[in-house]
Amino acid sequence: MPIKLGIIGYGGMAGWHHSNAVNIPGVEVVAAYDIDPERVAAAKEKGLKGYDTLDAFLADDEVNVTLVATPNDVHCELVCAALNAGKHTICEKPVAMSLAELDKMIDTAKKNNRMFSVHQNRRWDTDFQIAKEIIGSGKLGNVYAIQSRLHGSGGAMHGWRGEKKHGGGMLLDWGVHFIDQAYQICGYDDLKSVTCHTAHVKTEEVEDYFNLIFDRKSGGYYQVEIGTFVLKELPRWMILGDEGTAYINDFSRNGAYVTLNSAIENEPEIVMTAAGPTRTFAPRPVEVKVEHELPDPQGKWTEYYANIADVVEGKAELIVQPWQVRKTLAAILAAFESARTGKQIELD
Ligand code: NAD
């Protein structure tokens, strides 16, 4: 059965879905609904059936899959309406603002026997796929620290993303991607607790900075730091193992993993550095360190839609499962609690 996609909320991200989902065979975008007449007009200009009421949109029998791409506070009501109208439904991230909302969405999908998934597209980011592969490969030995970080200098959360009532703030906006990635890398039973600090650097109402640490049951930690006003960026990833170190600078394959050349490995000598005499922090000579190329996975966001098309055809299992996004949302809520109370919060 080909996918005839209808989009609720024809704004910025909907534009990406419209132009890219159609590159997957069997996916067509046919309709859009928005509360803003200008966005309905924009959808019509792009050749879609444009609706200005939800009821009319949901009554369109051609639409068999709905994408909800509105601000976060209305995801739950719109997802449930679409599911109750018999549409398979995809929700943009962050799926919901509370576990109660998410549970309602999951129950509504079950009750109507419809597919329900969330667009966690950053599972197909190149940098993430490299990090996952290198950590799993054993090439760094025992990995004791994973640092997943994004620094920018724009400063503030813009538009509805700066307002609490719409589910704004960096933890829900980008945190949801990077915490989803943490579960994908560590597995769903490994993250033990979270400690989180937030800051309102340039945005009054919601956090535009956070730094959180997950302690892992298997040992070591996983850090996620996102800062919107950092004028000297650190690499997107630092991965520290007892046999090597990997760095990935940005969202591409710009980085390396570094090990020691055992053939010429030597004990560091005590040297005089700006920090005084030291053996521990003596720089290893370049010939002792070996820079290796990173793996070269070929992830594309549209693979999400390839999976959705297969699921609707009954040929595959969902890759982004509702129970997985529930774990991620619970971790975000625990991070908020940690930031509020100053305490480490245990995760389920
Ligand atoms: P946006 O403000 O550009 O677009 C939102 C659209 O929804 C607007 O056209 C608005 O008029 C419409 N809208 C608002 N309330 C509505 C309602 N009740 N019913 C119907 N339409 C309504 O926002 P955006 O940047 O496109 O973000 C939309 C969603 O996509 C958010 O959940 C956001 O987190 C998510 N998003 C995901 C990614 C990603 O990489 N997965 C990237 C950007 C945004």
Side-chain angles (χ1 to χ4, degrees), residues 18 40 100 130 135 205 242:
H18 188 177
V40 178
I130 293 168
I135 291 163
E205 204 172 305
D242 58 10

Side-chain angles (χ1 to χ4, degrees), residues 8-15 17 33-37 39 54 68-75 77-78 91-95 119-122 160-161 167 172-174 176-177 301:
I8 300 182
Y10 196 70
M13 193 55 193
H17 285 274
Y33 157 63
D34 203 294
I35 50 169
D36 178 350
R39 298 312 303 157
L54 181 60
V68 173
T70 61
N72 308 330
D73 54 319
V74 286
H75 284 179
E77 66 191 65
L78 294 167
C91 186
E92 256 303 348
K93 53 49 59 176
V95 62
H119 190 231
Q120 292 295 161
N121 48 317
R122 291 195 177 278
W160 61 261
R161 286 177 172 79
L172 282 167
D173 195 33
W174 276 78
V176 71
H177 284 301
W301 284 4

